[in-house]
Amino acid sequence: MVRVKRDWIIPPIRVLENSKQVPENLVQIKSDKIFTGEVIYKLEGPGVDQDPKNLFEIDDKTGVIRSKRPLDREKYNSFTLKAFALSPSGERLENPTTIEIVVLDQNDNRPAFTQSQFVGTVSEFSVPGTSVMSVSATDADDPMTENAYLSYFIISQESIPANAVTKTMFGINNETGAIYTRDVGLDREVVKGFRLKLQVADMGGMGLTGEGEAIIHVSDINNHAPQFSPASYSMTAVENRQDYEIGRVNVTDRDDRGTGNWEAKYVISNDLSGNFAITTDPATNQGVLTVVKPLDYEAKSVYSLILAVENFNTLSNKAPNLPVSTAKVLVTVVNENEAPHFREDPIQIVVPESVVPGTLLKSNIAFDPDNSVLRYEITRDPERWLDINRDTGDIMAKRTFNMRSPHVKNRIYNAVVKVTDADGVSTTGTVAITLKETNDFPPQLFPLSGSVCRDAGRTNSGLVVTAVDEDLPPHAAPFSFETVDYLSVNWTVIQLNYTHALLLPLVELEVGEYVVTLMVSDSGSPTLSAYAQVNVTVCLCDSFGDCKSEVGAILGSSVGISFIALIIIMASIALLLLLLLLAVAITTCGRRHHIKKGTGLLVGESEDDIRDNVLNYDEQGGGEEDENAFNIDMLWNPHDAPSTPVSYYPGSGVPRGKQPLRKDAPQNLPSPTYPQRPPADPTDIEDYINDGLEAADNDPNVPPYDTALIYDYEGEGSLAGSLSSIASGSSDGDQDYDYLSDWGPRFKKLANMYDPR
């Protein structure tokens, strides 16, 4: 059986710190291999070949481990080393041995307070046993030994100020360092604080010691109520001023200055109107009394105020049980000359714009608090509409107002009135005049001309009319429209809405111009009305309701005359006219010998040009008394057609009063010279007629010879008889021309030409 060797277990080696016996042998180790050969010992670890180095060594021959220098437990309280047994060749002979070295503590460190000065606070009048603060200390020695077991002591007590309190007021817990009160009598008004000298000792108070200091402040409690000093005051205040100081009141308080226990809070107990206010000056603790609403000397000249004071912080229950301090303040109001006051500003006036001049608009507009005599004047009145009584201030209308004045904004006209008292103190006020609209202007119909379709009565598509009114609501729209029965029997008007109406015929009228009289009324009070004549053109309309020429209307109608039939009719008329002209020419030549020598055909006493005018008559009258004539010289071009419907010559497509341009002659050429007078010699009449025909044929501005002539119906009862007898083919003897003498000078010459005598 083989025996297994066990390693040696070496117990910890204890070494006292700060030992003076160095070097000191600590322990010796031996190897079992010493009997078989030479053994060399080595030592490794902290304190040998590691920091801190050179604290320990081993004798390599004997294996003795020794300390080389004194040890400090406060730096290194233990070391763990390894010892080796080696052969001369350096081979390990056995496993390394662990060496534990423990440094034993010595009481080589004094305890020390953690602060050089401790500061604490305790309230005044605290009861004994009240905790104030705690102090602490440390010791570098081993805390597991008596070397670090500390005890605390109060060595001395000094009051602040000195000798204010001589009895011991504080104690300390020796083990914990807690400081507490031991006695009563901490009064902040007597002592402000204490300075304590402290001591701490180790070894349970028997060892090394250290000293420190504690400052304990006595804190204030609100145990003193503020008191007025003095308790009555007299002050003056000027009337009509506000937000200014009139005086201060004083209080005393023994509590700590600058704290809430000392700061005063004031109230006014009997100022129901709120004319005064009182605040606290934080620096002096005085009560500052101010006027916050203007005072009126005439209303009240003296005020007696009652003030009360207390602290911002609640009074302690340890304070004396005293009533709240009060003070009386007598405020005398000083009278001053006040400016006049307007009873209202601005002065409101509501009046119709058509007010009668001289009307009283406003009275009793101002007063003077000092009962002074007042003078009034108007300082701004851009339209000069107002007048004011200098003594009474009565405002009157000087002239009628105008709502459309540039100085009227949103129906309000502003003026400025100045009032001055006997001492020259004045004030100004605004006069705001609100103008009420009156019905001053009748409505005006619009438009005054237009066109309607011939069948508008059946389709209800007449002329839309409206009205404009210079008045403002409610004296303008809605408008009402109506026709005047005895002037417009064939027309009616239909109200469309508040502002528009539809004018249309009751029956289907002939194409032409008509004048319709309408009356339009506004909604004002009283209602104003106006008559207006509307020129209405009744025309033929296309499918879109637009006016067009009669030819276009006929061509566009399925029931009208066909275009070919119209051409045949016009050609037949032209042929008849040509035959008529030839007959007249032949008759004239046959009767040339009846013309007297020295007289001309249709030559009158005047030598002026005798060119006739073409007269255009509407169907509203007859006879030769209609004088609505249109000059034949007026030319018409289809490209110059008006945009609004007009009246046309039947079947021609030419507006009434216009001549058609010729298509068989160049345009824009000067007209040839027409013969100005018929020849005096009857034998020259043929040449005269031929010259006129040639000039007419070459004139591009007159109808050609084969143009259909248009004759309107001239009514009944004409003073002239039929002219058809002029073209009669009967003999001269069969005709009696004496009646021509009654027609005037020109026809008298014609009668002489055919007189057989």
Side-chain angles (χ1 to χ4, degrees):
M1 179 175 181
V2 181
R3 180 174 177 267
V4 178
K5 177 185 177 296
R6 294 183 296 172
D7 293 335
W8 290 96
I9 300 177
I10 300 176
I13 301 171
R14 300 180 182 276
V15 180
L16 188 64
E17 68 171 336
N18 303 319
S19 175
K20 304 298 182 181
Q21 300 177 1
V22 290
E24 180 183 2
N25 293 335
L26 303 180
V27 69
Q28 183 180 15
I29 60 173
K30 284 187 177 183
S31 175
D32 292 341
K33 304 296 184 180
I34 190 173
F35 302 104
T36 60
E38 185 179 1
V39 177
I40 300 173
Y41 296 97
K42 294 291 184 182
L43 191 62
E44 295 179 355
V48 181
D49 57 352
Q50 299 177 16
D51 291 332
K53 296 179 180 180
N54 298 321
L55 294 179
F56 304 98
E57 64 180 0
I58 188 170
D59 189 323
D60 58 355
K61 299 296 183 180
T62 63
V64 176
I65 300 174
R66 64 178 64 93
S67 61
K68 297 174 64 176
R69 291 182 297 179
L71 301 179
D72 187 356
R73 193 204 67 83
E74 284 69 44
K75 291 184 178 180
Y76 303 99
N77 58 5
S78 66
F79 298 90
T80 300
L81 306 178
K82 289 186 180 296
F84 297 90
L86 305 177
S87 67
S89 62
E91 180 183 358
R92 285 186 180 184
L93 299 179
E94 55 183 291
N95 293 331
T97 299
T98 300
I99 306 298
E100 186 77 22
I101 298 176
V102 177
V103 182
L104 298 178
D105 182 53
Q106 280 189 335
N107 192 15
D108 59 344
N109 292 285
R110 290 182 177 276
F113 284 101
T114 57
Q115 297 176 214
S116 61
Q117 186 182 76
F118 295 90
V119 179
T121 302
V122 62
S123 298
E124 63 177 334
F125 299 108
S126 295
V127 297
T130 301
S131 177
V132 178
M133 59 188 299
S134 291
V135 297
S136 61
T138 60
D139 195 318
D141 291 324
D142 188 356
M144 303 304 296
T145 67
E146 291 290 327
N147 298 333
Y149 181 63
L150 306 180
S151 293
Y152 299 92
F153 306 94
I154 298 176
I155 299 175
S156 65
Q157 168 188 300
E158 181 182 353
S159 64
I160 304 172
N163 301 320
V165 175
T166 58
K167 59 183 178 180
T168 302
M169 298 298 299
F170 301 96
I172 190 169
N173 188 306
N174 299 114
E175 295 183 357
T176 63
I179 299 175
Y180 57 90
T181 60
R182 292 182 57 179
D183 207 340
V184 295
L186 294 176
D187 189 349
R188 178 70 173 76
E189 286 70 46
V190 175
V191 60
K192 306 300 181 184
F194 294 87
R195 181 179 288 107
L196 304 180
K197 189 175 181 179
L198 307 177
Q199 184 186 73
V200 60
D202 57 15
M203 302 294 290
M206 302 302 292
L208 302 177
T209 62
E211 294 184 353
E213 184 181 67
I215 302 297
I216 299 176
H217 298 288
V218 179
S219 63
D220 183 57
I221 63 173
N222 192 13
N223 61 323
H224 296 285
Q227 301 293 318
F228 280 104
S229 178
S232 62
Y233 300 85
S234 294
M235 302 178 186
T236 59
V238 181
E239 67 171 335
N240 303 319
R241 297 184 186 179
Q242 63 183 27
D243 299 328
Y244 73 101
E245 177 183 332
I246 62 173
R248 295 189 174 208
V249 295
N250 299 310
V251 294
T252 59
D253 195 319
R254 296 176 59 191
D255 290 318
D256 195 7
R257 186 181 183 89
T259 65
N261 298 331
W262 169 82
E263 187 175 359
K265 180 172 62 176
Y266 300 88
V267 293
I268 304 174
S269 60
N270 62 336
D271 182 24
L272 300 179
S273 300
N275 295 317
F276 302 91
I278 188 167
T279 57
T280 303
D281 186 336
T284 64
N285 215 25
Q286 292 176 315
V288 181
L289 190 63
T290 58
V291 176
V292 294
K293 287 184 179 180
L295 304 178
D296 188 356
Y297 173 83
E298 287 72 24
K300 190 174 183 180
S301 60
V302 177
Y303 291 85
S304 180
L305 304 179
I306 303 298
L307 308 183
V309 62
E310 58 184 1
N311 291 126
F312 272 88
N313 289 346
T314 304
L315 193 65
S316 172
N317 57 5
K318 297 179 181 180
N321 189 14
L322 298 175
V324 176
S325 180
T326 60
K328 182 178 181 181
V329 179
L330 191 65
V331 180
T332 302
V333 182
V334 178
N335 186 29
E336 69 173 5
N337 186 17
E338 303 177 57
H341 295 289
F342 286 99
R343 300 190 183 278
E344 61 175 344
D345 192 10
I347 302 169
Q348 300 288 345
I349 299 176
V350 180
V351 64
E353 62 172 333
S354 58
V355 63
V356 177
T359 301
L360 177 63
L361 303 180
K362 197 78 171 183
S363 60
N364 193 21
I365 62 174
F367 68 95
D368 187 77
D370 303 313
N371 298 320
S372 177
V373 178
L374 301 180
R375 292 291 181 267
Y376 301 86
E377 61 177 316
I378 296 178
T379 59
R380 183 179 181 275
D381 182 15
E383 292 289 351
R384 301 183 181 276
W385 287 344
L386 304 176
D387 199 0
I388 192 168
N389 188 298
R390 179 177 176 82
D391 298 323
T392 64
D394 293 344
I395 300 176
M396 295 166 289
K398 190 175 183 180
R399 61 190 65 182
T400 302
F401 299 159
N402 182 8
M403 182 79 76
R404 286 138 200 88
S405 168
H407 297 97
V408 176
K409 306 297 182 182
N410 297 324
R411 301 189 179 189
I412 297 177
Y413 175 76
N414 290 321
V416 177
V417 175
K418 179 180 179 181
V419 56
T420 307
D421 64 12
D423 294 326
V425 180
S426 63
T427 185
T428 58
T430 302
V431 180
I433 302 177
T434 302
L435 300 180
K436 295 191 299 183
E437 178 79 11
T438 57
N439 200 11
D440 302 319
F441 300 93
Q444 302 298 319
L445 193 71
F446 177 83
L448 296 178
S449 63
S451 61
V452 299
C453 296
R454 185 176 181 181
D455 57 351
R458 299 196 311 270
T459 61
N460 289 333
S461 58
L463 176 64
V464 177
V465 294
T466 184
V468 293
D469 198 324
E470 294 186 37
D471 292 312
L472 299 176
H475 300 291
F479 302 113
S480 59
F481 304 84
E482 58 182 298
T483 59
V484 181
D485 295 339
Y486 60 90
L487 296 176
S488 307
V489 293
N490 294 329
W491 297 82
T492 187
V493 63
I494 300 174
Q495 193 86 24
L496 297 178
N497 51 35
Y498 291 152
T499 57
H500 292 74
L502 184 67
L503 176 64
L504 71 164
L506 291 172
V507 298
E508 186 170 318
L509 301 176
E510 294 296 328
V511 173
E513 302 286 341
Y514 296 87
V515 177
V516 181
T517 302
L518 293 181
M519 183 180 72
V520 57
S521 304
D522 59 22
S523 298
S525 179
T527 301
L528 296 182
S529 303
Y531 292 90
Q533 290 184 333
V534 183
N535 296 318
V536 184
T537 300
V538 177
C539 61
L540 298 175
C541 297
D542 54 19
S543 59
F544 299 102
D546 298 327
C547 287
K548 60 182 180 179
S549 64
E550 294 188 13
V551 173
I554 296 175
L555 294 178
S557 175
S558 60
V559 297
I561 305 175
S562 66
F563 179 73
I564 298 177
L566 180 63
I567 295 299
I568 295 175
I569 293 174
M570 294 181 65
S572 301
I573 294 174
L575 181 60
L576 290 176
L577 290 175
L578 179 61
L579 294 177
L580 179 61
L581 290 175
L582 291 176
V584 171
I586 294 173
T587 305
T588 303
C589 292
R591 298 179 178 178
R592 186 178 299 173
H593 64 280
H594 293 286
I595 301 175
K596 294 183 180 181
K597 188 72 173 178
T599 61
L601 181 63
L602 301 178
V603 176
E605 296 176 358
S606 174
E607 296 182 359
D608 296 333
D609 187 9
I610 58 173
R611 297 176 63 185
D612 292 336
N613 290 336
V614 177
L615 301 180
N616 179 26
Y617 298 93
D618 285 335
E619 297 179 355
Q620 298 179 357
E624 297 175 348
E625 296 174 358
D626 293 337
E627 297 178 359
N628 186 16
F630 296 85
N631 197 308
I632 197 172
D633 292 335
M634 296 175 63
L635 304 180
W636 179 81
N637 191 312
H639 299 290
D640 299 331
S643 59
T644 57
V646 297
S647 177
Y648 296 88
Y649 287 110
S652 66
V654 180
R656 294 180 183 271
K658 302 292 183 179
Q659 283 290 356
L661 293 177
R662 295 187 55 173
K663 299 181 180 179
D664 60 341
Q667 303 298 316
N668 300 324
L669 296 179
S671 299
T673 303
Y674 284 87
Q676 298 299 315
R677 292 178 54 89
D681 189 353
T683 59
D684 298 330
I685 291 178
E686 182 178 359
D687 297 333
Y688 170 79
I689 294 176
N690 291 333
D691 292 340
L693 290 175
E694 182 178 0
D697 291 338
N698 295 324
D699 191 348
N701 299 319
V702 299
Y705 68 89
D706 57 350
T707 299
L709 301 182
I710 302 167
Y711 298 92
D712 279 350
Y713 176 69
E714 296 183 355
E716 297 180 1
S718 175
L719 298 177
S722 175
L723 299 178
S724 62
S725 59
I726 298 177
S728 175
S730 61
S731 64
D732 297 339
D734 298 334
Q735 303 294 331
D736 183 10
Y737 302 103
D738 292 338
Y739 63 89
L740 295 177
S741 299
D742 299 332
W743 289 7
R746 296 187 179 183
F747 288 97
K748 184 176 181 180
K749 289 182 176 293
L750 184 62
N752 293 336
M753 292 171 57
Y754 289 93
D755 191 347
R757 291 172 293 179

